[in-house]
Amino acid sequence: MASMDETFRPFPTGGDPVDLLVVGGGINGTGIARDAAGRGASVLLVEQDDLASHTSSASTKLIHGGLRYLEYYEFRLVREALIERENLLRIAPHIIWPMRFVLPYTPQARPAWMLRLGLFLYDHLAPNMTLPKCRSLDLRTSSAGRPLNGKLARGFAYSDGWVQDSRLVVLNAMDARARGADIRTRTRLVRARRTDGVWEAEIENTHDGSRTTVRAKVLVNAAGPWVSEVLRERAQVSSTKQVRLVKGSHIVVPRLFDGPQAYILQNPDKRIVFAIPYEQEFTLIGTTDVPWTQAPGHVEISPEEITYLCESVNRYFTRPVTPDDVVWTYAGVRPLYDDAATNASAVTRDYVLDVDTHDGQAPMLSIFGGKITTYRRLAEHALEKLRPFLPALAAPGWTAGRVLPGGDLGTDGFEGAVSRLAARAPFLDPQLVWRLVRNYGSCAGEIVGDARSMADMGEQFGAGLSAREVEYLMAREWARTTQDILWRRSRLGLHVTDEDAARLDAYLHARQPVATPAVS
């Protein structure tokens, strides 16, 4: 395999400035980098931590139009998201797949006519919908009603999509790199200033503390929760736009119900909570909406949020959930555009793109808000705004029609790809074959390589994770730490033991360069 992490490569010196310096390795930053590189622009992306370290790995893992956004008359956003749902199902079928959602009807929340109208609009706002449409359910006779407590008789079923969110970020970064972009993780923007018609930016390798100055024609601020800090403090650019931070938290518990369906549950406070099948053995429950005023870097769920989520599902399911049942939690801060809504749940999930040129000087584009489903269209809109400043972006948009790495599963789809890998590597456990294809799609063959037995796969770290897979993640996907591998490139952290994780950590430390502190 190729040499490991590009973070350790020195930056080229001299020469022309890059077309775009993208700050932020979440879904919006990597989506813009991919689109711009594919149009022929030169791109440098810097991310202070790992790819998808923060907001982009802390979502509810849904590719959806946002049914509840119709309640706030967000028709444009819902339509765009529903169209994008179809696009993403097509370009990343290994990590995004359809899911059926069951909505039990409770008259204390919203009237039945409102739900029927909303679901009708949901099915018809987007042209060429390929997923099954909404239908009514009798929860007393439907299999979807069996896990429920029997207090509700009516419900509805509708379709949306599920995504491995952090893998979607990584795949966009991989494709951007394949098209010429330079992707640098563990690399922080220290400061940026306009000089002689371009941006001059000082960036720091957080592994060894070394700093480099790079130049760029355009600065793209895709820093998520840090968008205001990058704008006002690191680039010293004033703006009337504001970001509003809202914490969303989730819990994971042992599987609550059988079947592939998810549940969308209405609460007395009008909020909704999802209960979703997760990692075969678990149920994912979330999310909360809590205003956040602290630093966005380290975010944890509160005891009150855990109680809230447990109570939310206990109103509906036969099997009760208590805080003691929680096996894992995660929380993230969503950087929403501040539209002055008084309720955190009502803050728009739409995005605003703000271009600052400061009297015609080098432009800076900042992204406020957005949701993972619309990232690809957001990238197209961003490049449309930057096209007058960069001739390299004159080419038309292209990302809706090109699969992401691993997405070329063939005419027989996911099941066919599983069968082919099983035939190629009969020594692999069927469950491992399924996981490899679900994570890597057609790229799973690169991990197996010329292996003819499990011994050829190298050291084992639990749950089927082998040295070959670890080496692939280091060489191809910028993985550096145990956290990167067990919680962002996969969710194997739910399945391995503490001893397995410790051995993986030792293996990674032995494989990586020792940082030499920079001399100031």
Side-chain angles (χ1 to χ4, degrees):
M1 293 185 180
S3 60
M4 62 174 292
D5 202 326
E6 298 171 14
T7 299
F8 301 118
R9 288 191 294 107
F11 282 94
T13 57
D16 297 328
V18 295
D19 292 321
L20 278 83
L21 170 59
V22 180
V23 180
I27 190 59
N28 290 331
T30 57
I32 290 172
R34 179 195 184 217
D35 194 342
R39 300 187 196 208
S42 56
V43 178
L44 168 64
L45 181 147
V46 295
E47 161 56 44
Q48 63 183 349
D49 297 308
D50 181 31
L51 296 171
S53 279
H54 300 284
T55 306
S56 294
S57 60
S59 76
T60 312
K61 327 298 181 193
L62 298 182
I63 295 296
H64 65 141
L67 178 63
R68 73 179 183 89
Y69 305 150
L70 293 174
E71 200 167 24
Y72 301 105
Y73 309 107
E74 299 260 21
F75 299 114
R76 189 213 68 79
L77 172 63
V78 174
R79 176 179 168 82
E80 179 174 275
L82 289 170
I83 293 172
E84 283 307 295
R85 184 185 66 188
E86 296 290 326
N87 286 330
L88 298 182
L89 284 165
R90 186 172 58 252
I91 68 173
H94 50 321
I95 64 163
I96 301 174
W97 58 94
M99 183 171 282
R100 200 72 169 154
F101 288 78
V102 176
L103 170 59
Y105 168 63
T106 173
Q108 291 77 23
R110 294 165 179 86
W113 67 263
M114 181 183 290
L115 296 178
R116 284 195 295 268
L117 176 60
L119 289 165
F120 176 84
L121 290 172
Y122 207 64
D123 281 345
H124 292 86
L125 275 174
N128 305 317
M129 176 176 169
T130 61
L131 300 182
K133 293 186 182 296
C134 166
R135 69 181 181 90
S136 297
L137 295 176
D138 185 339
L139 296 176
R140 296 166 298 187
T141 58
S142 169
S143 60
R146 289 174 191 160
L148 303 178
N149 57 25
K151 296 179 181 179
L152 302 173
R154 300 173 60 192
F156 304 90
Y158 70 95
S159 298
D160 257 324
W162 168 263
V163 62
Q164 298 187 64
D165 52 3
S166 50
R167 290 209 56 75
L168 182 62
V169 176
V170 171
L171 296 186
N172 274 274
M174 290 174 68
D175 203 40
R177 178 181 57 192
R179 299 174 188 279
D182 189 355
I183 310 294
R184 301 294 181 115
T185 62
R186 275 84 181 185
T187 304
R188 181 176 72 95
L189 175 71
V190 178
R191 65 180 61 87
R193 300 291 182 269
R194 290 179 169 109
T195 305
D196 298 328
V198 299
W199 283 99
E200 191 169 87
E202 184 179 11
I203 56 179
E204 178 184 75
N205 181 327
T206 60
H207 177 72
D208 61 13
S210 61
R211 292 187 175 186
T212 305
T213 298
V214 298
R215 297 189 303 148
K217 298 175 185 176
V218 173
L219 181 60
V220 175
N221 178 8
W226 290 271
V227 61
S228 294
E229 177 184 326
V230 168
L231 188 70
R232 297 179 176 88
E233 297 179 22
R234 302 190 200 180
Q236 294 189 352
V237 172
S238 60
S239 173
T240 59
K241 305 291 191 301
Q242 298 287 339
V243 69
R244 184 166 175 178
L245 303 183
V246 177
K247 182 176 71 162
S249 300
H250 299 75
I251 61 175
V252 175
V253 300
R255 187 170 58 193
L256 273 178
F257 51 85
D258 294 326
Q261 76 282 355
Y263 292 84
I264 174 172
L265 311 173
Q266 302 181 85
N267 281 343
D269 62 3
K270 303 293 186 177
R271 292 207 65 259
I272 57 105
V273 166
F274 291 97
I276 304 172
Y278 193 59
E279 289 289 312
Q280 290 78 55
E281 301 172 19
F282 304 96
T283 298
L284 172 65
I285 300 169
T287 180
T288 59
D289 279 317
V290 178
W292 188 256
T293 57
Q294 302 174 44
H298 182 69
V299 185
E300 292 183 343
I301 193 170
S302 69
E304 293 78 14
E305 288 175 290
I306 293 176
T307 299
Y308 176 87
L309 294 174
C310 289
E311 291 176 347
S312 297
V313 296
N314 288 343
R315 291 189 185 96
Y316 290 87
F317 287 94
T318 301
R319 185 185 305 172
V321 174
T322 71
D324 290 339
D325 295 316
V326 175
V327 298
W328 183 50
T329 68
Y330 66 90
V333 172
R334 298 188 289 272
L336 306 179
Y337 175 66
D338 191 351
D339 59 357
T342 56
N343 185 339
S345 296
V347 180
T348 182
R349 267 53 176 178
D350 211 343
Y351 53 84
V352 171
L353 305 176
D354 183 47
V355 177
D356 179 89
T357 57
H358 193 68
D359 299 328
Q361 297 187 45
M364 176 181 190
L365 181 141
S366 297
I367 301 166
F368 297 85
K371 58 199 295 277
I372 195 167
T373 305
T374 54
Y375 87 89
R376 193 203 63 82
R377 191 69 182 112
L378 181 153
E380 287 186 336
H381 284 152
L383 298 189
E384 287 168 10
K385 282 185 168 287
L386 294 176
R387 186 177 295 153
F389 309 101
L390 278 180
L393 299 178
W398 60 277
T399 54
R402 302 287 183 87
V403 297
L404 287 163
D408 49 338
L409 298 180
T411 56
D412 49 359
F414 179 79
E415 295 302 329
V418 170
S419 297
R420 286 191 296 275
L421 184 62
R424 172 178 173 174
F427 57 88
L428 294 178
D429 180 85
Q431 190 172 9
L432 175 57
V433 171
W434 186 93
R435 181 182 69 78
L436 290 175
V437 177
R438 183 53 82 195
N439 257 34
Y440 307 104
S442 58
C443 295
E446 291 186 46
I447 295 172
V448 175
D450 60 357
R452 294 294 178 264
S453 68
M454 282 305 296
D456 292 339
M457 298 294 289
E459 185 175 353
Q460 297 293 309
F461 302 101
L465 180 65
S466 67
R468 278 196 181 234
E469 185 174 356
V470 171
E471 292 292 331
Y472 173 89
L473 292 171
M474 295 173 73
R476 298 280 197 265
E477 298 194 6
W478 298 273
R480 294 257 312 277
T481 70
T482 302
Q483 189 83 3
D484 296 350
I485 291 172
L486 297 183
W487 294 108
R488 282 186 287 275
R489 304 306 183 275
S490 73
R491 291 296 185 268
L492 290 175
L494 285 166
H495 304 283
V496 302
T497 66
D498 291 343
E499 292 76 14
D500 292 331
R503 287 191 296 106
L504 174 61
D505 195 53
Y507 181 90
L508 293 173
H509 275 91
R511 285 283 290 108
Q512 296 188 42
V514 176
T516 302
V519 178
S520 57

